[in-house]
Amino acid sequence: MAIITKSEITITKGFDTWQEMVYSIEDKLTAMGISFLFAGTEKDDPTKLHAVMRFDSMDVLKQFGADEALTEIRREAGAVIESGVMTIISDDFFRGLPSLLLDDVAKCDSGRGASQRMECPKYGRRRLHICSHFGSD
């Protein structure tokens, strides 16, 4: 059974550095059965990162926490591992009602809805993506 978690952790090298680290280990995370549903920092405190993640099973969640190499990669990207708090979400939840609400939350610099699937010029990935890189040179 899949596990959904919400987490908070302090980052010290900025969101871009943290995000680049996640993209660099994307293949490993996918192979392990881990995906990010959301990740972003607080508006008034860019050192406070919040994420909602999906793990294929409780065993995968435990593997994530025990993977020393992965922990070191995260630490090198500025994650203060000791500050991390992860909460497992119960099976009682809903999502995407009435539709993905991201269209109402943010617009990218190009003026298009940030939740459109398009290629981000900075990271070159086509995905549901909120960023300020669309329309940048």
Side-chain angles (χ1 to χ4, degrees):
M1 174 199 291
I3 306 294
I4 305 291
T5 65
K6 72 176 184 91
S7 61
E8 179 180 334
I9 194 165
T10 299
I11 56 173
T12 60
K13 296 183 179 179
F15 183 77
D16 284 346
T17 299
W18 182 87
Q19 185 176 24
E20 288 173 17
M21 175 274 300
V22 172
Y23 285 146
S24 76
I25 60 171
E26 183 176 15
D27 290 342
K28 178 176 178 134
L29 294 175
T30 300
M32 289 177 73
I34 301 169
S35 59
F36 282 88
L37 304 178
F38 169 86
T41 58
E42 293 181 13
K43 180 179 180 182
D44 295 327
D45 188 350
T47 69
K48 297 297 180 207
L49 177 79
H50 297 267
V52 178
M53 299 173 69
R54 181 189 180 282
F55 297 84
D56 282 352
S57 68
M58 184 58 77
D59 287 340
V60 171
L61 176 59
K62 290 176 183 176
Q63 286 176 326
F64 175 75
D67 190 317
E68 291 180 21
L70 192 53
T71 298
E72 187 55 31
I73 290 169
R74 292 169 57 223
R75 189 182 313 278
E76 288 173 5
V80 180
I81 304 302
E82 300 75 21
S83 71
V85 176
M86 188 172 280
T87 304
I88 297 173
I89 303 301
S90 77
D91 292 336
D92 296 326
F93 69 91
F94 66 89
R95 63 175 185 247
L97 181 68
S99 63
L100 287 174
L101 302 176
L102 301 177
D103 289 328
D104 298 326
V105 173
K107 299 288 180 186
C108 61
D109 292 343
S110 68
R112 294 173 285 188
S115 66
Q116 294 176 340
R117 287 195 183 269
M118 60 182 74
E119 187 162 322
C120 173
K122 183 170 182 177
Y123 296 106
R125 288 184 165 58
R126 293 183 58 83
R127 61 180 62 217
L128 190 62
H129 190 78
I130 295 177
C131 75
S132 60
H133 308 119
F134 296 112
S136 62
D137 296 325

